[in-house]
Amino acid sequence: MKSIDQTNFSGKKVLIRVDYNVPLNEQFEVTDTTRIERTKETISNITGEGGIAILMSHLGRPKGEVNDKYSLKHIVKTASAILGKEVHFLGDVLDPETPNKIAALKPGDIGLLENLRFHAEEEKGDLEFAKAIAKLGDCYVNDAFGTAHREHASTATIVKCFPGKSYAGYLLYNEAANLDHVLQNPVTPFTAIIGGSKVSSKLNILNNLLDKVDNLIIGGGMAYTFLNALGVKIGNSLFEEDMVPVAKEIVKKAHLRGINLYLPIDNICADKYAEDANTYTTTQNHIPDGWEGMDIGPKTIRMFADIIKNSRTILWNGPLGVFEMKKFSNGTHAIALTVATTTISGAYSLIGGGDSIAAITKFDLGDYISYISTGGGAMLEYLEGKALPGIKALNEDE
Ligand code: AMP
């Protein structure tokens, strides 16, 4: 795919698909501006060259109907503050007045179209709707990595309307490049740390990573299904009975491929899922009935840290315990610190997934990680080895 550095946007009306699906509070104020901030570089580059930036996005799930609650006009003030210049609200893509509003914009200006999902055709990937959007601009830039796994009119179909004039913005380009770096050219030893609550939601990632990693560390709630599969008593810990055969299969595959698979060897247990629970640390792996594993124990931390310290590429998705509760955050904190210090000593690290980002932010270690992927569902599908329609469309463009 072509990056925006491969062309000049001077005097061009540039349709830029961004992911401004940001959280709003009851006063319709943006409560997390990260997604807007991460598009700034692309937009500034285009407007700096004298292009006219026409931003387009979805917000929430209006299900094909106009709904003021999901209007992108609510984010105009915040976007203007972050992008450093007035963002002109352009109204709906099919409103006959919209082309006039765009014609009034000058080189370097920024406009924002109304929520594209007010039209059901957007999510259907409808070609006629894509053509209607395309009429408003001279070329297309996709900087919405978070929506790249959707085959929608503004994320994939529209590329057909701009043959040879479709580009990847920096955010999309960098997300894909960093994920490719890990999946295709990892410096070895390559270690993946996979945590979180459920085996079922990470199953495809685990399977895809089995072809690529040297070490696979499994922690968090999902580790207990693996431990159960190996005959370990797990008490009341998180458990997915139907995933036991799958867990056994993964353990077997790892063994046959010579991949080192590491599971917790001790646990911090609680007598209830609560901050004020009584806790106890197992000296070996078995967890008695009435207790549930909430975090990895000190021996496990040491074992996982030794593996991580000797790695040159580290991929981390999913916390290693219930890190939201202080009592059960030590494991995730210790591993976050180890990943950060190993990165400082020259390893490459990539962290992704909402809870892993929340953890690294909570421990204030984000500056010491090589790349933090904010792609959410799109990143998970990329790690599963799937071709994302938004990226595929750009790759197939001439
Ligand atoms: P995921 O969205 O699958 O990455 O899961 C993240 C969630 O897993 C977080 O909210 C953690 O609190 C939770 N989690 C991690 N370890 C455990 C555990 N041992 N028991 C229950 N939940 C856990």
Side-chain angles (χ1 to χ4, degrees):
M1 64 190 169
K2 295 193 287 293
S3 104
I4 54 170
D5 287 337
Q6 288 170 259
T7 190
N8 188 291
F9 294 101
S10 176
K12 299 261 167 53
K13 284 178 280 180
V14 190
L15 285 160
I16 311 174
R17 179 53 160 102
V18 288
D19 181 4
Y20 284 176
N21 184 28
V22 290
L24 301 175
N25 62 17
E26 282 178 5
Q27 287 73 47
F28 296 108
E29 292 156 344
V30 181
T31 53
D32 182 349
T33 56
T34 314
R35 287 184 170 172
I36 303 175
E37 283 158 26
R38 298 199 84 188
T39 61
K40 187 174 174 175
E41 202 188 347
T42 293
I43 296 167
S44 301
N45 180 282
I46 290 168
T47 54
E49 287 182 3
I52 298 166
I54 307 167
L55 309 180
M56 51 183 181
S57 179
H58 71 286
L59 176 65
R61 293 173 186 265
K63 302 201 174 121
E65 290 184 8
V66 177
N67 182 339
D68 193 64
K69 193 174 146 193
Y70 299 116
S71 173
L72 278 166
K73 71 178 183 220
H74 300 309
I75 69 144
V76 165
K77 206 171 120 202
T78 308
S80 301
I82 292 172
L83 300 175
K85 53 169 79 174
E86 185 184 355
V87 171
H88 302 264
F89 189 63
L90 301 169
D92 190 82
V93 66
L94 300 184
D95 186 326
E97 272 307 301
T98 301
N100 299 334
K101 289 183 189 161
I102 292 175
L105 297 176
K106 291 184 284 300
D109 280 353
I110 304 174
L112 173 67
L113 290 166
E114 181 54 287
N115 191 342
L116 295 169
R117 289 197 191 166
F118 284 176
H119 300 276
E121 291 82 0
E122 162 65 0
E123 289 185 72
K124 289 183 188 145
D126 185 80
L127 180 60
E128 293 311 312
F129 185 61
K131 282 182 186 165
I133 305 173
K135 270 195 197 143
L136 301 175
D138 301 315
C139 55
Y140 170 71
V141 169
N142 189 349
D143 212 20
F145 182 78
T147 328
H149 57 319
R150 307 283 181 217
E151 193 160 5
H152 294 171
S154 68
T155 60
T157 319
I158 194 168
V159 173
K160 293 194 189 111
C161 309
F162 290 115
K165 291 187 205 161
S166 294
Y167 305 90
Y170 293 129
L171 175 59
L172 184 110
Y173 198 87
N174 288 337
E175 287 272 349
N178 278 280
L179 288 162
D180 280 347
H181 176 72
V182 163
L183 295 177
Q184 290 168 16
N185 311 303
V187 181
T188 57
F190 175 16
T191 298
I193 310 159
I194 306 293
S197 52
K198 288 189 174 160
V199 182
S200 47
S201 64
K202 305 277 166 82
L203 178 62
N204 292 333
I205 295 181
L206 289 170
N207 269 323
N208 193 35
L209 290 176
L210 280 178
D211 287 332
K212 309 186 189 296
V213 298
D214 303 297
N215 303 306
L216 180 58
I217 291 177
I218 296 179
M222 61 188 273
Y224 298 104
T225 300
F226 279 90
L227 290 169
N228 174 283
L230 297 174
V232 174
K233 264 180 71 126
I234 59 165
N236 299 3
S237 305
L238 207 66
F239 177 50
E240 287 172 281
E241 194 171 3
D242 54 339
M243 286 288 123
V244 170
V246 171
K248 284 185 176 158
E249 192 60 28
I250 289 174
V251 173
K252 195 166 137 195
K253 258 194 218 168
H255 178 66
L256 290 175
R257 292 181 192 182
I259 293 160
N260 307 310
L261 177 70
Y262 299 93
L263 288 160
I265 49 170
D266 62 347
N267 309 277
I268 311 290
C269 303
D271 59 356
K272 60 178 177 183
Y273 186 88
E275 185 86 72
D276 65 349
N278 293 308
T279 63
Y280 112 93
T281 307
T282 59
T283 47
Q284 32 76 35
N285 223 339
H286 291 287
I287 299 175
D289 289 341
W291 294 87
E292 58 185 296
M294 299 282 273
D295 195 9
I296 51 175
K299 285 194 230 162
T300 306
I301 292 177
R302 247 173 272 135
M303 176 177 78
F304 286 1
D306 279 343
I307 308 304
I308 295 164
K309 273 188 236 157
N310 289 309
S311 305
R312 293 293 86 191
T313 304
I314 304 157
L315 169 69
W316 182 13
N317 174 272
L320 297 157
V322 185
F323 76 101
E324 298 93 335
M325 300 183 200
K326 194 166 185 318
K327 262 186 184 167
F328 310 111
S329 64
N330 277 345
T332 305
H333 193 179
I335 296 308
L337 263 175
T338 310
V339 173
T341 50
T342 311
T343 308
I344 294 165
S345 74
Y348 174 90
S349 57
L350 189 149
I351 293 186
D355 280 304
S356 324
I357 299 172
I360 213 82
T361 309
K362 179 174 171 164
F363 306 131
D364 203 13
L365 292 167
D367 287 348
Y368 311 106
I369 302 303
S370 309
Y371 193 76
I372 297 180
S373 169
T374 53
M379 181 210 65
L380 295 183
E381 289 196 18
Y382 211 96
L383 292 179
E384 287 171 10
K386 288 187 189 151
L388 308 188
I391 291 178
K392 190 163 169 261
L394 290 177
N395 278 335
E396 286 170 359
D397 185 38
E398 59 198 47

